[in-house]
Amino acid sequence: MLPRETQHKALQWLGRQLFNRNDPEAFFDPLLERINPMWVQEYTPARVEQILSETRDTKTLVLKPARRWSGFRAGQHVNICVEVDGIRRNRTFSLSSSPLLWQDQGLVTLTIKRLPGGLVTNWLHDYLQTGAVIGLGEAFGDFQIPQPARPVLFIAGGSGITPVLSQLETMAALDYRAPVTLLYFVRTRDDVIAREKLLALETRYSALTLNIIASNESKEPRYLRDQDLDAVPGIKARQVYLCGPKGLMDLAQDLLFKRGFADSDIHSTFFSTPGADLGNQTLGGQVQFEGSRLEVGSEGDATLLEIAEAAGLTPRHGCRMGICHQCSCRKTTGTVINRLTGQASGPGEENIQLCISVPRGPVSLDL
């Protein structure tokens, strides 16, 4: 069998010879999809083997990707592609299973919470069925277990537990030799995702200390507080991993910084774009899409991805949060503001990410 990179180059050569383009899969895939959806080449197809109910608004999808998929490391994310009302939609989710499940059984899991008004999460909950095939991208992200082993504190909230589940399963399987503590915040006890799995992990993995905290079951909201951190043995030596709502993560970082934690000791992953304060900058401007021979105007803090989509273009993208870099594009002229950091680009040519770049004045793109 040809190596993956060689196969890709061969397909590009074939596409140039037959269709004068680098992606012949765009022509062949509709036919292959009708014959066998697992033969599609544009993305890695993954069959839905099982759908498990976790809570009233959270389900776990057990997927069997085609064997050509490259696998993942605990704590990483993937983009999935599904067709909703005839339009392909891409979204990013964390893998909730251990990589060992993929290595041993060829299976992975995604644990997905229904978001109010969420186009894709609601479709997945309401319409996706066992036996269906969805698209799976390659895994990415550096929210990964420290090596060599060091003491770890996880602080998770709600569906932010999903990458932590992958990490804990992996640590337990590999007998990770360092203390591990999980502070898991949920609205109520009924909102605990993977309750049985967490309790089983606590029983069989002696290094794990589990503390599930319900924030909305008392008269006053129960948020993360200093006493929670005081109860973690040897907290100053811990590597801290944060995943959850922005409010919880901001509070956790504030408490940790006051204790003298360095940035390098705190690892975060987001389920929504955190966003910098863009202040009173004058944003927007004329955006020229050179490859499409299209020019449109924009006002305010709309990103270039949003502007392109509003103009009827369909640029490649994935997470929409600045993580996966699938929307990277060449800017030929103009200045953009990074929505995550608030920093301005230079005025000349450079690669930018459409999903987190806001124009400040006229901008031209090779798109």
Side-chain angles (χ1 to χ4, degrees), residues 66-258:
R67 291 303 301 181
R68 68 173 183 266
W69 192 58
S70 299
F72 69 104
R73 294 188 293 275
Q76 289 194 304
H77 321 287
V78 289
N79 292 320
I80 70 167
C81 175
V82 294
E83 190 171 294
V84 180
D85 296 331
I87 300 174
R88 284 189 177 179
R89 304 286 184 178
N90 293 278
R91 292 295 185 271
T92 301
F93 298 102
S94 296
L95 291 142
S96 56
S97 55
S98 167
L100 298 175
L101 182 65
W102 162 247
Q103 295 166 17
D104 295 341
Q105 301 180 39
L107 299 174
V108 300
T109 66
L110 300 176
T111 301
I112 298 173
K113 184 174 181 177
R114 182 195 293 270
L115 300 177
L119 177 66
V120 173
T121 61
N122 279 280
W123 185 89
L124 292 170
H125 274 251
D126 294 337
Y127 299 108
L128 188 66
Q129 297 181 354
T130 302
V133 174
I134 66 175
L136 196 67
E138 295 298 331
F140 60 91
D142 56 5
F143 191 70
Q144 297 175 35
I145 299 168
Q147 292 293 346
R150 300 178 62 182
V152 173
L153 168 62
F154 292 107
I155 302 176
S159 58
I161 192 66
T162 52
V164 178
L165 288 172
S166 175
Q167 292 169 319
L168 290 177
E169 285 273 17
T170 304
M171 292 167 129
L174 300 179
D175 194 19
Y176 188 84
R177 294 301 183 99
V180 179
T181 298
L182 169 61
L183 302 180
Y184 180 26
F185 288 82
V186 293
R187 288 190 174 89
T188 71
R189 296 285 168 176
D190 291 335
D191 296 310
V192 177
I193 296 171
R195 178 198 303 273
E196 293 182 4
K197 180 179 290 187
L198 287 170
L199 295 177
L201 279 168
E202 185 183 31
T203 299
R204 66 183 172 88
Y205 182 34
S206 60
L208 173 63
T209 301
L210 173 64
N211 187 3
I212 300 175
I213 301 166
S215 59
N216 289 0
E217 288 189 343
S218 57
K219 292 183 179 179
E220 295 294 327
R222 170 66 166 88
Y223 299 130
L224 176 68
R225 55 196 184 194
D226 267 320
Q227 294 93 317
D228 297 319
L229 302 181
D230 290 337
V232 179
I235 188 170
K236 291 184 178 179
R238 301 268 179 153
Q239 291 291 294
V240 183
Y241 287 75
L242 309 177
C243 190
K246 185 176 184 299
L248 172 63
M249 296 175 71
D250 288 346
L251 175 59
Q253 287 183 324
D254 183 55
L255 293 175
L256 292 166
F257 286 146
K258 287 179 180 178

Side-chain angles (χ1 to χ4, degrees), residues 260-273:
F261 275 78
D263 283 328
S264 58
D265 295 325
I266 302 173
H267 314 271
S268 304
T269 189
F270 294 92
F271 282 175
S272 61
T273 309

